[in-house]
Amino acid sequence: MTETNDKVSKALARFDRVMTVIDEKQGPVAQQARRERQRKTAQAGRVARNVVVAMVAVAAITIGVGLVMPIGMFGFLAALLLAAAVVVATYYWSAGGGEPSIPSVPTDVPNGEMVQRFDSFLYRTRRALPAPAQTVVDGITSQLGTLRQTLERTDTLDPDAQEARRLMSVHLPGLIERYANVPAAYRSEVDGEGKTVDQRLIEGLQASRTALGEVNERLARRDLDAFATQGRFIETKYGQTDEV
């Protein structure tokens, strides 16, 4: 019986690995990877643009000073060193100083950008999670397209927007960060309620997915109600009535 259970467990593990590969090549993870590449391409474009602007500014200053007084060889070398320093500083400022080992979601960006940063955070941390947790993360990711559309039209101080922002920038990233801090050897230990660290992680992710889904539904419901109200108004004001 034990041998049979071992074979079943190994077969299920192989199946999970195969499905993971398929998902990463064709499924939602592949779509997430494309979005991440698009974000990185856009970021690289912004970095290149800022570096070019910085170089042009240093060159303009150098030419301006040279028109007023000779700068000489030392002045030229100083201008080159200044240009190099400005380029390096501009690069790190535009790139955000490099990516941390555990990424984070900023709390001070507009709603739409926060959803994008959260999507990037999930993509970059997904592989460090156990397979069942990755499935829940994929479910969260599938909600983000609609959530971004609704949040972009919602004021940042709106209560629903605030709840979604806390989930995306504080609570869920904090859950994953704390999970990553737990040594792998201790993640299978059972706590006082009979649950392992992995189980706690999955439950937290599931609760987050449910909460984001509820926020998304409430925001979408507002748009539906506003549309219905506008439609009734136009129908009442401009609708034709049959004359006897």
Side-chain angles (χ1 to χ4, degrees):
M1 186 65 177
T2 303
E3 184 179 354
T4 301
N5 290 337
D6 290 342
K7 289 182 179 179
V8 172
S9 298
K10 291 179 180 179
L12 290 175
R14 285 195 297 270
F15 176 77
D16 287 339
R17 289 194 296 270
V18 171
M19 292 307 298
T20 298
V21 172
I22 293 175
D23 284 342
E24 293 183 353
K25 290 184 177 180
Q26 301 177 359
V29 182
Q31 298 174 3
Q32 210 174 4
R34 284 194 293 270
R35 292 195 298 271
E36 184 70 7
R37 286 194 296 270
Q38 291 171 354
R39 284 190 287 266
K40 287 188 175 297
T41 300
Q43 182 186 30
R46 290 192 297 270
V47 171
R49 180 194 62 202
N50 292 338
V51 168
V52 169
V53 170
M55 292 178 64
V56 170
V58 172
I61 294 173
T62 303
I63 293 173
V65 172
L67 293 175
V68 175
M69 60 180 182
I71 60 174
M73 180 61 68
F74 290 106
F76 179 73
L77 292 176
L80 289 179
L81 291 175
L82 176 62
V86 169
V87 166
V88 171
T90 302
Y91 173 80
Y92 277 100
W93 174 77
S94 301
E99 295 184 352
S101 55
I102 299 179
S104 61
V105 181
T107 59
D108 57 350
V109 295
N111 292 340
E113 184 177 350
M114 178 171 285
V115 176
Q116 292 189 69
R117 297 290 190 93
F118 181 61
D119 185 29
S120 177
F121 167 83
L122 292 179
Y123 174 76
R124 291 159 59 191
T125 56
R126 180 183 182 277
R127 282 183 175 274
L129 305 179
Q134 292 182 13
T135 301
V136 183
V137 167
D138 293 342
I140 296 174
T141 300
S142 66
Q143 299 176 335
L144 297 184
T146 304
L147 183 63
R148 179 185 175 189
Q149 292 178 7
T150 55
L151 278 181
E152 282 181 332
R153 299 191 300 270
T154 306
D155 188 87
T156 301
L157 298 179
D158 180 272
D160 285 326
Q162 286 288 306
E163 182 178 349
R165 290 174 64 89
R166 282 192 295 270
L167 274 167
M168 292 187 293
S169 63
V170 179
H171 298 317
L172 200 148
L175 175 69
I176 293 178
E177 180 180 356
R178 284 171 173 77
Y179 174 82
N181 290 337
V182 176
Y186 291 88
R187 292 175 184 171
S188 60
E189 289 192 0
V190 178
D191 61 18
E193 296 181 359
K195 296 180 180 180
T196 65
V197 173
D198 284 357
Q199 289 173 328
R200 291 287 187 189
L201 171 68
I202 293 169
E203 289 180 355
L205 291 173
Q206 289 172 336
S208 299
R209 179 178 63 182
T210 300
L212 281 177
E214 291 174 351
V215 170
N216 205 358
E217 184 175 356
R218 289 197 296 269
L219 293 174
R221 182 59 57 185
R222 291 188 202 175
D223 293 331
L224 289 172
D225 293 342
F227 173 77
T229 300
Q230 185 71 10
R232 286 193 295 269
F233 168 77
I234 293 176
E235 183 179 353
T236 301
K237 187 172 182 62
Y238 301 106
Q240 296 180 351
T241 58
D242 294 334
E243 296 183 357
V244 181

